[in-house]
Every structure is written in C-alpha cells, then in structure tokens.
Amino acid sequence: MPNLLIHSMSEFSDIIVEGLALAHVQRICEIGAEFGGMSQTLADFASEAGGELISIDPSPKQEFLDWVRGAEHVRHIAKPSLSAFEDLTDVDAWIIDGDHNWFTVYHELKNVDALCQRDGKPMLAFMHDVAWPAGRRDMYYAPEQIPAEYLLPHNYEGGTTPGESDLLPHRGFRGMGQFAMALHEGGPKNGVKTAVEDFIAERNADGRELAYAEVPAVFGLGVLFDLDAPWSNALADLVIPYHENRLIASLEANRLANYLTVLDFQDRNAA
C-alpha cells in the first residue's frame, strides 16, 4: 500500500513562492531534496527571477538525480549540509528540510546566519518539520554523523503518536529502518523547533531581532526572517494569518489521527 501521509514541503509551495517573490529572491539554497518535488518549483522560480537554485543533499532519490541532470539554473551539492556551506555565496533565501534533529538544524541556522552577515543579506529561511513528530523529538538519517554529546538515545524500530513521549515498539509513525528517532520526546536540545527557538533566543540576545511564524500543518512550516529586512512587513502580512492558526492545527490533528489509524490497521494485519 502506498504511503498515505502527504508530508512533502511542496504542500507549502504557494506560501513559499509568494514569500520569495516579496523578498525579491534570486539565489535559493535548498537543504534536502529527496524526490525533488519542491526542487522543481524552486528551480522554476529561480529561473524566472534570473537566479539559481543550489540543492544540497548527499543522497537524494533517483527521481531527483534524473531530473537535475537536465535542469538549468540548478547546482546539486552532494554533501551533508554542514559540510556544504563553504561552497556557498550570496544566497537570498534558504529552504531547510534536511536531517530533522537539534544538532543539525541549530548548526545549519548558525551557518546560514554567518553567511547572511558576511554577504550583507537579510535572513530568510523556510523550515519544514517544526511540528509533530520532529518538532520536539530528534530524527536521525545518519546518527553516525552526530557528535556523541548531541546524539540522544534512539532506535530505528520504535514509533510515535501525538501525546506519547516514549517510543512505541513497532507501532505508530516510524522509520521502518530508514531513519531513527529519539526514545523520548521533549527536553533540551531535542527536536527541530527546539533548535529554532534556541537559535532565535541567541540571535535576539545579540540585539538582532528575528521574526518567526509557524504554519501548523503537514508536519509544520516555520518561516524565519530578519525584522529589519525591507520586505519584512509584506512577508509578515502574508504569513500571520497562518501563524498557529487553530483551524489549520485542528485539521492537521484530524489528518494525523486518520493516518495513524490506518497504520494501526496495517500493523494488525501484518501481525
């Protein structure tokens, strides 16, 4: 049976593309390509803007590799994100959807901030997976690349459901050997949203204020941008209606409940 959960960042294409246009973006850096669904939308935008898409993914799916070979205005960097920043200059906007854990996301944002300051660019980042399941729980595609002091106890087989801190044995949403998840939800330095919050607190303490909005659907979209950017008011007007919208959050909770019920049926049949 095909995966019934739609969890691609491309579901947010309309918001992201309009935001890129408001910020007059030309050069885009995408972290995490996977199948390339969002990549193609970003490449089309960059081409029309006279710019470029840089896509960072050490091991994307074959569908992306087949597409990118013939894609103009696209440069693929086949490295882990934290090894790829040295290859980047003059990026106007960042699409972050790579490894969903505190260490990776926090240090991605630190690197993004440093490059923005070096190149005189306001910060603009669209980040996936800021809500359940990875908002407060680390997920690891390559746990061997996480320094030991940041790697939380984890496994590949346990699953999670909303409201449950501990992983459930062979139940719920899980990686099925493709990725691992932290054994427990919550606590310091655990999860994507925690990384975003820690980065924002650090930046704001330095007197450089960031704005943040969150769309509570499809695992969560976070929009992070400099308040003093010339386009910040226009971008805020775009995203504020979606920010922590209670109706959208309710629809997402219903969607997840239905999906997890299907997973439960599948698990019972398999048993």
Side-chain angles (χ1 to χ4, degrees):
M1 180 179 291
N3 189 348
L4 299 179
L5 180 62
I6 300 172
H7 55 82
S8 170
M9 201 174 188
S10 61
E11 299 301 314
F12 301 105
S13 293
D14 288 349
I15 297 172
I16 293 172
V17 167
E18 187 170 351
L20 296 175
L22 289 172
H24 309 291
V25 166
Q26 290 185 299
R27 178 171 286 183
I28 306 165
C29 182
E30 169 192 50
I31 298 174
E34 198 172 18
F35 291 96
M38 190 65 198
S39 308
Q40 297 180 41
T41 298
L42 297 172
D44 289 343
F45 179 91
S47 176
E48 292 176 8
E52 177 188 33
L53 170 65
I54 303 161
S55 186
I56 300 171
D57 196 318
S59 53
K61 304 299 185 185
Q62 189 61 45
E63 288 89 337
F64 171 85
L65 295 173
D66 293 341
W67 166 76
V68 79
R69 278 195 290 269
E72 297 183 6
H73 311 289
V74 180
R75 176 159 60 105
H76 175 215
I77 300 177
K79 296 180 180 179
S81 62
L82 298 180
S83 301
F85 285 98
E86 62 190 18
D87 300 327
L88 305 176
T89 57
D90 294 319
V91 174
D92 299 309
W94 305 80
I95 314 297
I96 300 176
D97 189 19
D99 209 2
H100 313 316
N101 57 74
W102 186 93
F103 173 82
T104 302
V105 174
Y106 175 79
H107 287 92
E108 285 172 344
L109 291 173
K110 292 282 286 182
N111 277 277
V112 166
D113 186 38
L115 291 183
C116 287
Q117 290 187 71
R118 184 197 69 188
D119 297 338
K121 302 278 187 180
M123 187 171 190
L124 174 58
F126 297 89
M127 297 162 294
H128 200 200
D129 295 277
V130 296
W132 187 91
R136 303 296 185 190
R137 187 194 298 272
D138 273 5
M139 296 171 63
Y140 306 111
Y141 285 102
E144 70 279 0
Q145 295 183 10
I146 307 297
E149 61 268 32
Y150 296 104
L151 183 64
L152 299 177
H154 60 278
N155 71 44
Y156 281 88
E157 300 303 329
T160 181
T161 62
E164 292 281 350
S165 173
D166 295 345
L167 289 186
L168 306 173
H170 306 286
R171 287 184 53 210
F173 178 79
R174 57 196 188 275
M176 304 291 287
Q178 298 300 308
F179 58 82
M181 290 193 287
L183 298 184
H184 305 289
E185 185 177 47
K189 299 183 179 178
N190 190 9
V192 173
K193 187 170 181 178
T194 306
V196 174
E197 290 173 343
D198 290 347
F199 171 74
I200 291 172
E202 185 178 297
R203 264 285 309 261
N204 289 350
D206 289 340
R208 297 178 294 133
E209 281 195 282
L210 286 168
Y212 176 74
E214 183 175 323
V215 186
V218 196
F219 291 2
L221 175 72
V223 186
L224 186 63
F225 56 100
D226 272 307
L227 269 177
D228 61 0
W231 36 259
S232 64
N233 287 339
L235 183 60
D237 288 342
L238 169 67
V239 298
I240 283 174
Y242 300 101
H243 175 57
E244 297 182 353
N245 184 288
R246 291 167 62 185
L247 174 60
I248 295 173
S250 178
L251 293 171
E252 173 72 350
N254 182 67
R255 187 179 77 103
L256 292 173
N258 288 331
Y259 174 66
L260 291 166
T261 298
V262 171
L263 282 186
D264 190 47
F265 286 151
Q266 291 177 336
D267 291 338
R268 291 181 185 180
N269 289 335

